[in-house]
Amino acid sequence: MLPFPPMTISRKDFLRLSVTFGGVAAAAHLVGCGSDDPAPSGTTDTGTATDTGTATDTGTATDTGTKTDTGTASDTPAEAAACTKVSPEIAGNHGHVLDVPFADLTATGDKTYDIKGSSVHTHSVTLTEAQRKDIAASKTVIVTSTDGGALHTHTITITCA
C-alpha cells in the first residue's frame, strides 16, 4: 500500500501541463543562452558591443516645384455628384423606413421625414440643411428620431455612396 493516494490526471490536464512546462523550458533555454562561440584565447567576453563607425548625411533636398489650385468651390448641386445613393441605417429597427429623396440633399432649410414604414407606430427625423450637405459630400450623419409617443427613439446613421 502506498503512503499517499494514487494521483490521477486527465489527458487534457496532462497536455496542458506538458505545453506549459515545455514553454517554460524553451524560454529558460533562450534566456540562458549567450554566444555559442568561445572567446579567442587570451580575451574575455564582456557581453558588450562598441560601435566605432560614424554616419554622415551629406545630401540636401530642395523642393523647387509649385502647386496651383485652379479649382473653385461652390454650394451648387455639383457637390452631390459624389453621392449616388442615400443609405440610412436605423438602430433597433422594427419596420421603420427613412427615405431621403436625392433632390433634398441640395434643398434649403430643414426637412422633417416620417419613418413609420411598416411599423405600427411612427417617428420623425429632422435633417438640417447642413446635415444634408454633409450627406451629399459623403460624410456620415447620425441623428435621433422623435419618440413618436412610442416611448423609445431610434439612432439613425446616414451615409451616401
Side-chain angles (χ1 to χ4, degrees):
M1 174 98 74
L2 296 173
F4 51 86
M7 191 167 105
T8 59
I9 185 168
S10 70
R11 181 177 181 192
K12 181 179 176 181
D13 289 337
F14 174 77
L15 291 173
R16 184 179 300 141
L17 289 171
S18 297
V19 170
T20 301
F21 287 117
V24 170
H29 176 71
L30 291 175
V31 171
C33 287
S35 172
D36 286 339
D37 298 330
S41 177
T43 63
T44 303
D45 183 0
T46 61
T48 59
T50 305
D51 183 1
T52 58
T54 358
T56 306
D57 184 359
T58 58
T60 56
T62 306
D63 184 0
T64 59
T66 58
K67 180 180 179 196
T68 306
D69 184 358
T70 58
T72 58
S74 67
D75 288 336
T76 62
E79 284 184 352
C83 177
T84 58
K85 182 179 186 241
V86 179
S87 301
E89 285 188 34
I90 303 173
N93 196 5
H94 42 260
H96 298 294
V97 176
L98 172 61
D99 181 31
V100 180
F102 195 74
D104 283 2
L105 296 181
T106 56
T108 58
D110 295 352
K111 297 272 186 186
T112 300
Y113 304 90
D114 184 297
I115 65 167
K116 181 176 182 182
S118 64
S119 180
V120 295
H121 60 272
T122 190
H123 299 278
S124 62
V125 175
T126 299
L127 295 175
T128 66
E129 181 178 342
Q131 288 171 322
R132 292 190 322 276
K133 283 185 180 184
D134 282 347
I135 294 167
S138 295
K139 295 180 182 176
T140 299
V141 172
I142 299 173
V143 294
T144 302
S145 73
T146 61
D147 73 0
L151 303 177
H152 67 272
T153 60
H154 295 278
T155 300
I156 303 171
T157 304
I158 307 166
T159 58
C160 196

Short mmCIF file of all heavy atoms in Angstrom, two decimals, residues 100-140:
data_model
loop_
_atom_site.label_atom_id
_atom_site.label_comp_id
_atom_site.label_asym_id
_atom_site.label_seq_id
_atom_site.Cartn_x
_atom_site.Cartn_y
_atom_site.Cartn_z
N VAL A 100 -34.80 59.57 -47.99
CA VAL A 100 -34.37 60.94 -48.25
C VAL A 100 -34.20 61.07 -49.76
O VAL A 100 -33.26 60.51 -50.33
CB VAL A 100 -33.03 61.25 -47.54
CG1 VAL A 100 -32.59 62.68 -47.84
CG2 VAL A 100 -33.14 61.02 -46.04
N PRO A 101 -35.13 61.78 -50.42
CA PRO A 101 -35.00 61.95 -51.87
C PRO A 101 -33.68 62.64 -52.21
O PRO A 101 -33.24 63.55 -51.52
CB PRO A 101 -36.20 62.84 -52.25
CG PRO A 101 -37.17 62.64 -51.13
CD PRO A 101 -36.33 62.42 -49.91
N PHE A 102 -33.08 62.21 -53.28
CA PHE A 102 -31.79 62.75 -53.70
C PHE A 102 -31.85 64.27 -53.86
O PHE A 102 -30.91 64.98 -53.51
CB PHE A 102 -31.35 62.08 -55.00
CG PHE A 102 -29.91 62.27 -55.32
CD1 PHE A 102 -28.94 61.58 -54.62
CD2 PHE A 102 -29.51 63.16 -56.30
CE1 PHE A 102 -27.59 61.76 -54.91
CE2 PHE A 102 -28.18 63.35 -56.59
CZ PHE A 102 -27.22 62.64 -55.90
N ALA A 103 -32.97 64.78 -54.36
CA ALA A 103 -33.11 66.23 -54.56
C ALA A 103 -33.05 67.00 -53.25
O ALA A 103 -32.66 68.16 -53.21
CB ALA A 103 -34.42 66.53 -55.29
N ASP A 104 -33.43 66.36 -52.13
CA ASP A 104 -33.40 67.03 -50.83
C ASP A 104 -31.98 67.35 -50.36
O ASP A 104 -31.78 68.21 -49.51
CB ASP A 104 -34.08 66.18 -49.75
CG ASP A 104 -35.59 66.22 -49.85
OD1 ASP A 104 -36.13 66.88 -50.78
OD2 ASP A 104 -36.25 65.58 -49.00
N LEU A 105 -30.99 66.67 -50.90
CA LEU A 105 -29.62 66.89 -50.46
C LEU A 105 -29.13 68.30 -50.76
O LEU A 105 -28.26 68.82 -50.07
CB LEU A 105 -28.67 65.86 -51.08
CG LEU A 105 -28.92 64.41 -50.69
CD1 LEU A 105 -27.91 63.50 -51.36
CD2 LEU A 105 -28.91 64.22 -49.18
N THR A 106 -29.70 68.93 -51.76
CA THR A 106 -29.27 70.28 -52.12
C THR A 106 -30.35 71.33 -51.84
O THR A 106 -30.16 72.50 -52.13
CB THR A 106 -28.87 70.34 -53.61
OG1 THR A 106 -29.95 69.89 -54.40
CG2 THR A 106 -27.63 69.48 -53.86
N ALA A 107 -31.47 70.91 -51.26
CA ALA A 107 -32.54 71.86 -50.94
C ALA A 107 -32.16 72.71 -49.73
O ALA A 107 -31.32 72.33 -48.93
CB ALA A 107 -33.83 71.09 -50.66
N THR A 108 -32.79 73.86 -49.62
CA THR A 108 -32.51 74.76 -48.49
C THR A 108 -33.46 74.47 -47.34
O THR A 108 -34.52 73.88 -47.52
CB THR A 108 -32.65 76.23 -48.93
OG1 THR A 108 -33.97 76.44 -49.43
CG2 THR A 108 -31.64 76.58 -50.01
N GLY A 109 -33.06 74.90 -46.15
CA GLY A 109 -33.89 74.75 -44.97
C GLY A 109 -33.87 73.35 -44.40
O GLY A 109 -33.31 72.42 -44.97
N ASP A 110 -34.47 73.20 -43.22
CA ASP A 110 -34.57 71.91 -42.55
C ASP A 110 -35.69 71.09 -43.18
O ASP A 110 -36.68 71.65 -43.66
CB ASP A 110 -34.86 72.09 -41.06
CG ASP A 110 -33.72 72.78 -40.33
OD1 ASP A 110 -32.65 72.97 -40.93
OD2 ASP A 110 -33.90 73.11 -39.15
N LYS A 111 -35.54 69.77 -43.16
CA LYS A 111 -36.56 68.86 -43.69
C LYS A 111 -36.86 67.81 -42.62
O LYS A 111 -35.96 67.24 -42.01
CB LYS A 111 -36.07 68.15 -44.96
CG LYS A 111 -35.77 69.05 -46.13
CD LYS A 111 -37.01 69.27 -46.92
CE LYS A 111 -36.64 70.07 -48.18
NZ LYS A 111 -37.82 70.43 -48.92
N THR A 112 -38.17 67.55 -42.42
CA THR A 112 -38.60 66.53 -41.46
C THR A 112 -39.21 65.37 -42.23
O THR A 112 -40.02 65.56 -43.14
CB THR A 112 -39.62 67.13 -40.46
OG1 THR A 112 -38.98 68.20 -39.76
CG2 THR A 112 -40.06 66.08 -39.45
N TYR A 113 -38.81 64.16 -41.85
CA TYR A 113 -39.24 62.94 -42.53
C TYR A 113 -39.96 62.03 -41.55
O TYR A 113 -39.54 61.85 -40.42
CB TYR A 113 -38.02 62.19 -43.11
CG TYR A 113 -37.19 63.04 -44.04
CD1 TYR A 113 -36.14 63.79 -43.55
CD2 TYR A 113 -37.47 63.08 -45.40
CE1 TYR A 113 -35.37 64.58 -44.39
CE2 TYR A 113 -36.71 63.87 -46.26
CZ TYR A 113 -35.66 64.62 -45.74
OH TYR A 113 -34.91 65.40 -46.59
N ASP A 114 -41.05 61.41 -42.01
CA ASP A 114 -41.78 60.41 -41.24
C ASP A 114 -41.13 59.07 -41.56
O ASP A 114 -40.90 58.75 -42.72
CB ASP A 114 -43.25 60.41 -41.66
CG ASP A 114 -44.07 59.45 -40.82
OD1 ASP A 114 -43.79 58.23 -40.87
OD2 ASP A 114 -44.98 59.91 -40.12
N ILE A 115 -40.80 58.27 -40.54
CA ILE A 115 -40.12 57.00 -40.79
C ILE A 115 -40.99 55.80 -40.39
O ILE A 115 -40.47 54.73 -40.09
CB ILE A 115 -38.74 56.94 -40.06
CG1 ILE A 115 -38.90 56.95 -38.54
CG2 ILE A 115 -37.84 58.06 -40.53
CD1 ILE A 115 -37.62 56.58 -37.80
N LYS A 116 -42.33 55.94 -40.42
CA LYS A 116 -43.22 54.86 -39.99
C LYS A 116 -42.93 53.55 -40.71
O LYS A 116 -42.81 52.51 -40.08
CB LYS A 116 -44.68 55.25 -40.19
CG LYS A 116 -45.61 54.15 -39.72
CD LYS A 116 -47.06 54.52 -39.80
CE LYS A 116 -47.89 53.36 -39.26
NZ LYS A 116 -49.30 53.60 -39.34
N GLY A 117 -42.84 53.56 -42.02
CA GLY A 117 -42.61 52.33 -42.77
C GLY A 117 -43.71 51.33 -42.48
O GLY A 117 -44.90 51.68 -42.46
N SER A 118 -43.37 50.06 -42.19
CA SER A 118 -44.37 49.03 -41.91
C SER A 118 -44.62 48.87 -40.41
O SER A 118 -45.34 47.96 -40.00
CB SER A 118 -43.92 47.70 -42.51
OG SER A 118 -42.73 47.26 -41.88
N SER A 119 -44.03 49.73 -39.60
CA SER A 119 -44.22 49.66 -38.15
C SER A 119 -45.64 50.09 -37.78
O SER A 119 -46.32 50.77 -38.55
CB SER A 119 -43.21 50.55 -37.45
OG SER A 119 -43.38 50.50 -36.06
N VAL A 120 -46.11 49.72 -36.60
CA VAL A 120 -47.44 50.10 -36.14
C VAL A 120 -47.46 51.50 -35.52
O VAL A 120 -48.51 52.01 -35.20
CB VAL A 120 -48.01 49.08 -35.13
CG1 VAL A 120 -48.21 47.73 -35.80
CG2 VAL A 120 -47.12 48.97 -33.91
N HIS A 121 -46.30 52.10 -35.37
CA HIS A 121 -46.22 53.46 -34.82
C HIS A 121 -45.26 54.28 -35.67
O HIS A 121 -44.54 53.74 -36.51
CB HIS A 121 -45.77 53.44 -33.35
CG HIS A 121 -44.42 52.85 -33.17
ND1 HIS A 121 -44.22 51.51 -32.98
CD2 HIS A 121 -43.18 53.41 -33.16
CE1 HIS A 121 -42.93 51.27 -32.86
NE2 HIS A 121 -42.26 52.40 -32.97
N THR A 122 -45.25 55.56 -35.43
CA THR A 122 -44.41 56.43 -36.26
C THR A 122 -43.38 57.18 -35.42
O THR A 122 -43.53 57.32 -34.21
CB THR A 122 -45.29 57.43 -37.05
OG1 THR A 122 -44.47 58.09 -38.00
CG2 THR A 122 -45.92 58.46 -36.14
N HIS A 123 -42.35 57.61 -36.08
CA HIS A 123 -41.34 58.52 -35.54
C HIS A 123 -41.05 59.52 -36.65
O HIS A 123 -41.35 59.27 -37.82
CB HIS A 123 -40.02 57.80 -35.23
CG HIS A 123 -40.12 56.71 -34.22
ND1 HIS A 123 -40.12 56.94 -32.88
CD2 HIS A 123 -40.20 55.36 -34.38
CE1 HIS A 123 -40.18 55.78 -32.24
NE2 HIS A 123 -40.25 54.80 -33.13
N SER A 124 -40.44 60.63 -36.28
CA SER A 124 -39.98 61.55 -37.31
C SER A 124 -38.53 61.91 -37.06
O SER A 124 -38.02 61.77 -35.95
CB SER A 124 -40.86 62.81 -37.36
OG SER A 124 -40.79 63.51 -36.14
N VAL A 125 -37.88 62.34 -38.13
CA VAL A 125 -36.47 62.72 -38.09
C VAL A 125 -36.33 64.03 -38.84
O VAL A 125 -36.86 64.18 -39.94
CB VAL A 125 -35.59 61.65 -38.78
CG1 VAL A 125 -34.15 62.10 -38.85
CG2 VAL A 125 -35.70 60.34 -38.06
N THR A 126 -35.60 64.98 -38.25
CA THR A 126 -35.34 66.25 -38.92
C THR A 126 -33.87 66.30 -39.31
O THR A 126 -32.99 66.05 -38.48
CB THR A 126 -35.69 67.44 -38.01
OG1 THR A 126 -37.08 67.37 -37.70
CG2 THR A 126 -35.40 68.76 -38.70
N LEU A 127 -33.63 66.61 -40.58
CA LEU A 127 -32.28 66.81 -41.08
C LEU A 127 -32.13 68.28 -41.45
O LEU A 127 -32.93 68.82 -42.22
CB LEU A 127 -32.00 65.94 -42.31
CG LEU A 127 -32.00 64.44 -42.09
CD1 LEU A 127 -31.85 63.71 -43.42
CD2 LEU A 127 -30.89 64.04 -41.14
N THR A 128 -31.10 68.91 -40.88
CA THR A 128 -30.85 70.31 -41.20
C THR A 128 -30.25 70.42 -42.60
O THR A 128 -29.76 69.42 -43.16
CB THR A 128 -29.89 70.95 -40.19
OG1 THR A 128 -28.61 70.32 -40.32
CG2 THR A 128 -30.41 70.83 -38.76
N GLU A 129 -30.24 71.61 -43.13
CA GLU A 129 -29.62 71.84 -44.43
C GLU A 129 -28.13 71.45 -44.38
O GLU A 129 -27.62 70.81 -45.30
CB GLU A 129 -29.77 73.31 -44.82
CG GLU A 129 -29.19 73.67 -46.16
CD GLU A 129 -29.42 75.14 -46.52
OE1 GLU A 129 -30.29 75.80 -45.93
OE2 GLU A 129 -28.71 75.62 -47.42
N ALA A 130 -27.46 71.82 -43.29
CA ALA A 130 -26.04 71.49 -43.15
C ALA A 130 -25.82 69.98 -43.10
O ALA A 130 -24.87 69.46 -43.70
CB ALA A 130 -25.48 72.15 -41.89
N GLN A 131 -26.68 69.24 -42.40
CA GLN A 131 -26.55 67.78 -42.33
C GLN A 131 -26.73 67.16 -43.71
O GLN A 131 -26.01 66.23 -44.09
CB GLN A 131 -27.56 67.19 -41.35
CG GLN A 131 -27.24 67.46 -39.89
CD GLN A 131 -28.37 67.06 -38.96
OE1 GLN A 131 -29.55 67.24 -39.27
NE2 GLN A 131 -27.99 66.53 -37.79
N ARG A 132 -27.70 67.66 -44.48
CA ARG A 132 -27.94 67.12 -45.82
C ARG A 132 -26.76 67.43 -46.75
O ARG A 132 -26.39 66.60 -47.58
CB ARG A 132 -29.26 67.61 -46.38
CG ARG A 132 -30.46 67.04 -45.63
CD ARG A 132 -31.80 67.29 -46.30
NE ARG A 132 -31.94 68.58 -46.92
CZ ARG A 132 -32.30 69.71 -46.29
NH1 ARG A 132 -32.58 69.68 -45.01
NH2 ARG A 132 -32.41 70.84 -46.95
N LYS A 133 -26.14 68.58 -46.58
CA LYS A 133 -24.95 68.90 -47.37
C LYS A 133 -23.80 67.96 -47.00
O LYS A 133 -23.05 67.53 -47.87
CB LYS A 133 -24.53 70.36 -47.17
CG LYS A 133 -25.39 71.33 -47.93
CD LYS A 133 -24.87 72.74 -47.80
CE LYS A 133 -25.76 73.70 -48.57
NZ LYS A 133 -25.25 75.06 -48.56
N ASP A 134 -23.69 67.63 -45.71
CA ASP A 134 -22.67 66.68 -45.29
C ASP A 134 -22.92 65.31 -45.92
O ASP A 134 -21.98 64.66 -46.39
CB ASP A 134 -22.64 66.55 -43.76
CG ASP A 134 -21.93 67.71 -43.08
OD1 ASP A 134 -21.24 68.49 -43.77
OD2 ASP A 134 -22.08 67.83 -41.84
N ILE A 135 -24.16 64.89 -45.95
CA ILE A 135 -24.51 63.60 -46.57
C ILE A 135 -24.13 63.64 -48.05
O ILE A 135 -23.53 62.71 -48.58
CB ILE A 135 -26.01 63.28 -46.39
CG1 ILE A 135 -26.33 63.06 -44.91
CG2 ILE A 135 -26.40 62.06 -47.22
CD1 ILE A 135 -27.81 63.05 -44.59
N ALA A 136 -24.45 64.75 -48.73
CA ALA A 136 -24.13 64.89 -50.14
C ALA A 136 -22.63 64.85 -50.38
O ALA A 136 -22.17 64.39 -51.43
CB ALA A 136 -24.71 66.20 -50.68
N ALA A 137 -21.85 65.29 -49.40
CA ALA A 137 -20.38 65.28 -49.50
C ALA A 137 -19.80 63.95 -49.01
O ALA A 137 -18.62 63.86 -48.71
CB ALA A 137 -19.80 66.45 -48.71
N SER A 138 -20.65 62.94 -48.89
CA SER A 138 -20.27 61.58 -48.46
C SER A 138 -19.75 61.53 -47.03
O SER A 138 -18.94 60.67 -46.68
CB SER A 138 -19.26 60.98 -49.43
OG SER A 138 -19.86 60.81 -50.69
N LYS A 139 -20.21 62.44 -46.19
CA LYS A 139 -19.89 62.38 -44.76
C LYS A 139 -21.00 61.63 -44.05
O LYS A 139 -22.14 61.61 -44.50
CB LYS A 139 -19.76 63.79 -44.18
CG LYS A 139 -18.60 64.58 -44.76
CD LYS A 139 -18.52 65.96 -44.15
CE LYS A 139 -17.40 66.76 -44.77
NZ LYS A 139 -17.38 68.13 -44.25
N THR A 140 -20.68 61.01 -42.93
CA THR A 140 -21.66 60.27 -42.14
C THR A 140 -22.38 61.22 -41.19
O THR A 140 -21.74 62.03 -40.52
CB THR A 140 -20.99 59.15 -41.35
OG1 THR A 140 -20.37 58.26 -42.28
CG2 THR A 140 -21.99 58.38 -40.50
#
